[in-house]
Each structure stands twice: as structure tokens, then as C-alpha cells.
Amino acid sequence: MSTPSQMLRLVVARAEPAARGIRRFELRDPHGGELPPFTAGAHIAVRTPCGAMRQYSLANDPAERDRYVIAVKREDAGRGGSRSLVDGVQAGDRLDIGAPENRFALDARARSVLLIAGGIGITPMMAMLAELAADGTRPFQLVYLTRDAEGTAFLDELRRPEWAPNVVVHHDGGDPARAFDLWPLLEKPGSASGRHVYCCGPKGLMDAVRVMTGHWPASAVHFESFAADTAAHADDVPFEVVLARSGLALEVPVGRSILEVARAHGVSVPSSCESGTCGSCKTRLLAGEADHRDLVLLDGEKADHVMVCVSRAKGARLVVDL
């Protein structure tokens, strides 16, 4: 398995519930040393106990050099990475961690910032709140949307006096009629005011924000997602993948990826996140039509490339350049 180029072996200093179905992990150097610095919005790759690599946003103050904090939602319908972390990792365990990377950084040009989070999408926003509050020069607001208080991570921290006046936490109880109305916050584009929007959360929330910010400058609206379509679909069926370089034909069953099947047969494939978000496993598609489930490929690439960590076949057979 390919992994991020810089791996750290860190100790789990704390592992505790953060909300219903969410567990918070505090990671430290086992010798008490400083960790590589990061900026708000950064994430780390984590090798989970089941062997899969997953990416998680850093949720603590970027000024802290002695720890990383992540929050992991247990995904029952996922492929086991989050379950192995939530169910199997305790304080005192060691985890392999990639160095921080940032594709969701606060834009220095933003004169004010609106943060919109849904569910576990709060994690990068926690670091952003800390960085914005410490900076003190840019007005900011967080709107955090969840079903109920029991499923709301970091609720106590969000009540801190220096943050609370800028934080709105809304519970809709799962009732669409009680959904928070974002339109008054997004109706006026941020081009004149220098306002930027950052959104992280479920696909439905991000799709809604995309629609409501369609009239905003693209450079002022930022999205982060580690939620590619990794869950099995009810209509998934096995299919055949042919590895063109060797001619090897393999069956990809429901619940397993092309990457996993190829690796099980001794084929080395570059990979990192294994969740359709990083692009490491992009592979040329030579024949067949892919069922694309990643967040990486551009529309112009989908006819002749496939992300083998998550995507499947629309027909009975794919031929890939492996």
C-alpha cells in the first residue's frame, strides 16, 4: 500500500465520545516533542486499524504544537475505516499519521468570514474559529446545523465566551420544516464586502450552499468534503475488472473496491486517502463505463479515467491500465 510520504507514529493521548456516534482523539508525540505545524482547515491522513487510509480535519487551535485533535464519525455503511477507529482505538494506542496538508485554508484576502457546518463538518471549523479569534481583525460567524444536541460535536467548546457571540447552533430534529434558512446570509454576494464563505458537511447541505451562492464570485466560496460515495448502493452488483498490463481478470464483489481486489492479488497501486478525495489512485480507463463515485475527476476526465478506490462499473466489465 502506498502511504503519504511523511508518516508520524503518534500516541493516542485521549479517546473519548464527542457526540452520539462521534469519537474525539487527541494525538501526541510519544516522546513529548513538537508536531509539524498546521493552519486552519488542514487535514491529516490516518492509517486506521483495519489498514485503510482515511483523512480527517484537524480540529484544535493551529497555535498548538504539542497535539493534533480529530473527531471521527462512525459510518455504519462505510468500508470499515471509521468503524475500526471508533470501535478499536483507545488511549495509549499508536497510530500512523501523515503530515498536515491544507486544501481548505482561510483566504488572506477575505475581510470577513462566514462558516457553515453540518454534522461532522464542524471539525475544520473549530481550527478556523481559533485562528480567526486569535487574529482579531476579521469579523466571523459560524452557523452549525445538526439534528439534535446529542449529535452535536464540540458543543461545550462552542459556548466559550470569545466564540459564543459569533456562533449559531441550530437543531432541526430531522424535520425539513425546521431547517435553518441560510438565504438571508447568502442573498448578497460577498464581492463588495470581501466576505468569504466556507462550507463543510453532508452533500445535501453543500449542494444547497452551492445553489445559493451561484451569484457569488467563485473565489469567495470554499467547500471541503471527505465524503465521497464510499457506501454500498442497494443496486450494486459484482463486476469484472481486467488489468490490461497482465491480462488478469478479477471479480470485484459488492462492498469491495477495485483497489482492494487488485492489491489482494499482489498488484501495487498508488493510493493515499482510499476515499475518493485525493487523486492518488487515478487510473486510465481503457474500456467499459465507470460508475464514478469520487470527488476528484473533472467531467472531461471521466470517459477515460477512474478512481479505483471508490468507483465501480455501470456494466459487467471494466478494463483499466494496471
Side-chain angles (χ1 to χ4, degrees), residues 1-314:
M1 178 190 304
S2 299
T3 58
S5 57
Q6 294 178 301
M7 297 295 292
L8 310 170
R9 184 76 165 168
L10 301 186
V11 64
V12 179
R14 297 173 67 184
E16 58 196 10
R20 183 185 56 246
I22 300 173
R23 197 157 179 83
R24 178 182 183 273
F25 298 94
E26 181 180 302
L27 309 172
R28 293 181 180 266
D29 182 273
H31 307 294
E34 286 192 342
L35 300 177
F38 70 96
T39 52
H43 65 271
I44 54 174
V46 178
R47 190 195 302 277
T48 65
C50 71
M53 297 296 295
R54 294 291 183 265
Q55 299 183 56
Y56 296 102
S57 296
L58 291 169
N60 55 305
D61 188 338
E64 297 175 338
R65 294 295 305 279
D66 59 337
R67 67 175 188 156
Y68 294 149
V69 174
I70 60 173
V72 180
K73 180 180 180 181
R74 190 184 191 281
E75 298 288 357
D76 293 333
R79 290 184 294 156
S82 66
R83 293 198 303 274
S84 69
L85 274 172
V86 171
D87 296 347
V89 174
Q90 303 296 329
D93 292 345
R94 306 289 176 100
L95 291 173
D96 290 328
I97 306 297
E101 300 180 35
N102 202 336
R103 299 192 295 262
F104 194 50
L106 290 168
D107 193 320
R109 297 169 297 178
R111 297 198 295 273
S112 68
V113 177
L114 172 61
L115 309 173
I116 301 173
I120 195 63
I122 189 61
T123 50
M125 307 305 187
M126 299 301 293
M128 290 181 172
L129 285 172
E131 192 165 293
L132 289 164
D135 175 66
T137 64
R138 294 185 281 182
F140 62 91
Q141 181 181 11
L142 167 69
V143 177
Y144 182 19
L145 309 177
T146 67
R147 180 181 293 267
D148 51 42
E150 292 74 21
T152 303
F154 301 107
L155 190 54
D156 289 342
E157 292 180 51
L158 292 170
R159 292 171 173 153
R160 289 164 50 173
E162 65 270 35
W163 292 357
N166 304 313
V167 172
V168 174
V169 179
H170 179 80
H171 309 310
D172 64 15
D175 180 358
R178 294 169 54 191
F180 186 87
D181 184 8
L182 290 167
W183 179 243
L185 298 175
L186 300 172
E187 181 178 8
K188 295 181 180 179
S191 52
S193 65
R195 193 177 213 198
H196 282 226
V197 172
Y198 289 79
C199 180
C200 185
K203 184 177 183 298
L205 171 63
M206 293 199 294
D207 287 347
V209 171
R210 283 190 179 95
V211 170
M212 285 187 277
T213 56
H215 58 301
W216 283 57
S219 60
V221 185
H222 313 266
F223 295 93
E224 177 70 297
S225 175
F226 299 124
D229 191 1
T230 60
H233 293 194
D235 57 353
D236 280 351
V237 296
F239 64 94
E240 182 182 70
V241 61
V242 177
L243 310 185
R245 298 180 196 178
S246 64
L248 190 63
L250 304 172
E251 181 181 270
V252 181
V254 175
R256 298 194 74 194
S257 67
I258 299 170
L259 174 65
E260 290 169 332
V261 170
R263 184 181 294 146
H265 285 79
V267 179
S268 178
V269 184
S271 65
S272 180
C273 73
E274 300 185 16
S275 58
T277 58
C278 74
S280 297
C281 70
K282 183 168 77 171
T283 302
R284 285 183 62 222
L285 177 61
L286 304 177
E289 184 179 2
D291 179 4
H292 295 289
R293 302 183 182 185
D294 63 277
L295 297 173
V296 176
L297 290 178
L298 302 175
D299 288 342
E301 298 178 299
K302 292 182 177 180
D304 53 13
H305 287 85
V306 62
M307 303 301 298
V308 296
C309 67
V310 293
S311 296
R312 300 184 64 81
K314 288 189 174 179

